[in-house]
């Protein structure tokens, strides 16, 4: 069966033919390739067409697809341990790895996704502070938990959904929306609601409105205001963790978070998540404390094995991998800007290590969500179709990131640039 036939058949059984909205390419107006296999930086669809993959499962595959060490860890573990719903040594190893290697993590709780990690961290912050409100920033995405579906990024933004039907107004009445990189706006929110703010949750390097890095002064103001009003600061590092640097975005700022959430890379491509932080806060979780959060599959042995194999390999080769990814990213960024200039394509690129976004805008720089909204989606759609038709797999949205892995090569970058050079407005 060809891609189209499989996809159309799937729409009979699954809403929109997908298990996560952005995969459907609805905003682009085409059907997506149906992917059969992947090795390294290359994926192959059901028709046998190859693509150099810059989506990497939306971030997780930093080692590339089906890395041999990760595959071995999964196979070996599955021989004897699939799921127990009981304590295992694998959990200890993963928890120890995270606490030993990440500066602000003294204790962790494993979960099954980024949504679960961030939603649970918010519950813990509310339980700990005994306050109700949260601040999130317009354009940031923290998963599909009710309280986050206001002015969210990622698929919510791609499909122009400001929130979501099915989310009762009561569930978002305690969600305050801040403006990313706007200190005055943040102060205003704390002035007005400071006594009841449990936490601020932020993507320190945003990836869900396209890549935008929070400014140092903004982060410092955020920390000061949280301290002044007794609110917790939560870094959502689901995307940036182990991606922008081994220690994540936390290592790029002087400011330290109280809680941090992870998923994507830490699971090596399997369903995984974690949240962690100061021991004194984490011990409020049941059973040591009274904030309830649980999961049948949390800390699953195969997931832990895949995650540990991934993280240990990254740690062992960290210099080589992050240098390589940075160099390839730099080449791509410079090359794309040069081509765009020659061709008169309006383009700004924001890059943080191995994640970057092409913003098709006439602005000189993109620093806020309002800047992002100036992008020309028609140009994006044309560009996307051109790249995909020529074997370059990128996320089907102006508001997502392009990812690089340790498996990408100079040739892959050259092919990206060559393909972009034949794109006509
Ligand atoms: C920053 C951030 N937080 C949370 C999530 C939700 O993670 P998941 O899709 O694993 O639930 C995402 C997903 O892309 C994300 O990028």
């Amino acid at each position: 069966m060809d891609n189209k036939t499989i996809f159309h058949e799937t729409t009979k059984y699954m809403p929109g033919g997908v298990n996560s909205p952005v995969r459907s390419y609805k905003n682009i107006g085409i059907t997506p390739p149906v992917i059969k296999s992947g090795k390294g930086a290359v994926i192959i669809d059901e028709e046998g067409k190859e693509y150099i993959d810059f989506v990497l499962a939306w971030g997780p595959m930093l080692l590339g697809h089906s890395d041999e060490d990760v595959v071995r860890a999964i196979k070996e573990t599955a021989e004897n341990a699939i799921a127990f719903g009981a304590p295992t040594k694998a959990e200890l190893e993963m928890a120890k790895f995270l606490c030993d290697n990440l500066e602000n993590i003294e204790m962790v709780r494993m979960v099954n996704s980024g949504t679960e990690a961030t939603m649970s961290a918010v519950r813990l912050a509310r339980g700990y502070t005994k306050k109700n409100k949260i601040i999130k920033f317009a354009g940031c995405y923290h998963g599909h938990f009710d309280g986050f579906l206001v002015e969210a990024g990622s698929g919510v933004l791609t499909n122009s959904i400001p929130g979501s039907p099915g989310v009762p107004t009561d569930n978002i009445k305690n969600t305050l929306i801040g403006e990313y990189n706007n200190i005055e706006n943040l102060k205003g929110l704390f002035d007005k609601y400071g006594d009841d703010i449990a936490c601020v949750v932020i993507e320190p390097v945003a990836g869900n409105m396209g890549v935008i890095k929070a400014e140092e002064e903004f982060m410092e103001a955020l920390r000061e205001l949280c301290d002044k009003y007794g609110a917790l600061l939560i870094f959502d590092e689901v995307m940036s963790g182990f991606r922008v640097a081994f220690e994540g975005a936390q290592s790029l700022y002087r400011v330290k978070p109280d809680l941090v959430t992870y998923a994507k890379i830490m699971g090596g491509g399997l369903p995984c998540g974690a949240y962690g932080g100061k021991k004194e806060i984490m011990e409020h979780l049941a059973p040591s404390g009274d904030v309830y959060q649980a999961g049948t599959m949390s800390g699953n042995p195969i997931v832990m094995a895949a995650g540990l194999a991934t993280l240990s390999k990254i740690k062992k080769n960290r210099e080589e991998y992050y240098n390589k990814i940075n160099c390839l990213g730099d080449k791509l960024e410079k090359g794309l800007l040069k081509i765009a200039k020659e061709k008169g394509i309006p383009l700004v690129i924001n890059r943080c290590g191995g994640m970057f976004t092409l913003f098709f805008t006439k602005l000189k720089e993109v620093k806020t969500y309002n800047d992002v909204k100036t992008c020309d989606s028609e140009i994006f759609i044309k560009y996307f179709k051109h790249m995909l038709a020529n074997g370059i797999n990128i996320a089907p949205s102006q508001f997502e990131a392009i990812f690089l892995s340790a498996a990408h090569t100079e040739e892959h970058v050259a092919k990206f640039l060559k393909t972009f050079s034949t794109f006509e407005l």
Side-chain angles (χ1 to χ4, degrees), residues 20 57-58 112-118 140-144 148 154-155 201-208 236-240 261-264 271-273 400 403:
S20 196
W58 303 84
N112 305 287
S113 69
T115 300
E116 219 189 308
T118 314
C140 283
Y141 178 70
H142 304 292
H144 64 86
F148 295 147
S154 193
V201 55
I202 184 166
E203 289 180 76
V205 175
N208 287 293
D236 179 346
E237 292 237 45
V238 165
M239 192 183 282
S240 57
T261 64
Y262 295 96
K264 299 201 189 251
C272 192
E400 300 284 352
F403 297 109

Side-chain angles (χ1 to χ4, degrees), residues 10-317:
T10 314
T11 58
K12 291 187 201 158
Y13 304 100
M14 284 159 43
V18 288
N19 283 312
S20 196
V22 275
R23 295 180 197 169
S24 74
Y25 292 16
K26 189 175 168 200
N27 58 315
I28 306 284
I30 57 172
T31 56
V34 178
I35 305 304
K36 189 173 181 182
S37 65
K39 190 78 194 160
V42 175
I43 53 172
I44 303 177
D45 71 16
E46 288 285 345
E47 295 170 16
K49 180 171 173 177
E50 289 194 2
Y51 306 82
I52 305 169
D53 186 22
F54 294 90
V55 178
L56 299 176
W58 303 84
M61 314 310 285
L62 190 95
L63 297 176
H65 293 279
S66 293
D67 174 84
E68 57 182 6
D69 293 317
V70 180
V71 172
R72 190 179 316 112
I74 293 172
K75 279 186 179 164
E76 282 175 5
T77 307
E79 288 288 340
N80 298 301
I82 293 183
F84 302 115
T88 61
K89 217 167 134 209
E91 293 172 312
L92 164 65
E93 282 170 26
M94 175 61 102
K96 202 165 167 340
F97 186 97
L98 297 174
C99 294
D100 286 351
N101 286 288
L102 301 165
E103 196 189 337
N104 301 298
I105 308 294
E106 294 171 3
M107 267 191 164
V108 278
R109 165 71 52 92
M110 251 50 94
V111 290
N112 305 287
S113 69
T115 300
E116 219 189 308
T118 314
M119 139 188 137
S120 308
V122 165
R123 182 182 305 146
L124 175 58
R126 282 177 162 146
Y128 177 79
T129 60
K130 312 247 179 309
K131 296 177 183 183
N132 295 302
K133 297 198 186 304
I134 66 169
I135 296 180
K136 81 168 276 291
F137 297 97
C140 283
Y141 178 70
H142 304 292
H144 64 86
F145 165 58
D146 278 4
F148 295 147
L149 288 179
V150 200
E151 294 271 351
S154 193
V156 187
L157 183 55
T158 303
N159 294 320
S160 306
I161 308 170
S164 170
V167 175
T169 336
D170 260 8
N171 292 19
I172 49 174
K173 70 169 194 247
N174 286 316
T175 304
L176 306 171
I177 306 299
E179 285 177 28
Y180 202 78
N181 278 337
N182 184 335
I183 296 177
E184 286 314 306
N185 166 268
L186 192 63
K187 279 188 183 153
L189 288 176
F190 270 100
D191 271 352
K192 198 156 172 200
Y193 303 103
D195 292 345
D196 198 26
I197 296 177
C199 62
V200 180
V201 55
I202 184 166
E203 289 180 76
V205 175
N208 287 293
M209 52 179 154
V211 173
I212 300 186
K213 195 166 172 267
E215 289 167 349
E216 184 72 46
E217 314 83 78
F218 178 68
M219 295 298 262
E220 272 165 21
L222 193 50
R223 182 70 269 176
E224 268 170 36
L225 286 162
C226 283
D227 288 345
K228 180 172 167 194
Y229 288 93
L232 299 189
L233 178 54
I234 304 175
F235 279 8
D236 179 346
E237 292 237 45
V238 165
M239 192 183 282
S240 57
F242 305 102
R243 158 115 344 250
V244 296
F246 181 70
E247 297 94 345
Q250 289 163 78
S251 61
L252 309 182
Y253 296 96
R254 285 190 293 271
V255 164
K256 303 297 166 213
D258 299 301
L259 293 173
V260 189
T261 64
Y262 295 96
K264 299 201 189 251
I265 292 176
M266 77 158 279
L270 267 59
C272 192
Y275 59 109
K278 295 184 179 143
K279 187 166 188 246
E280 188 251 325
I281 302 171
M282 290 301 289
E283 281 190 327
H284 282 253
L285 278 178
S288 41
D290 53 5
V291 177
Y292 194 73
Q293 185 272 315
T296 303
M297 286 297 162
S298 299
N300 173 277
I302 299 177
V303 176
M304 295 296 101
L308 261 175
T310 302
L311 297 184
S312 325
K313 188 163 181 176
I314 298 174
K315 184 181 175 191
K316 196 166 146 220
N317 302 291

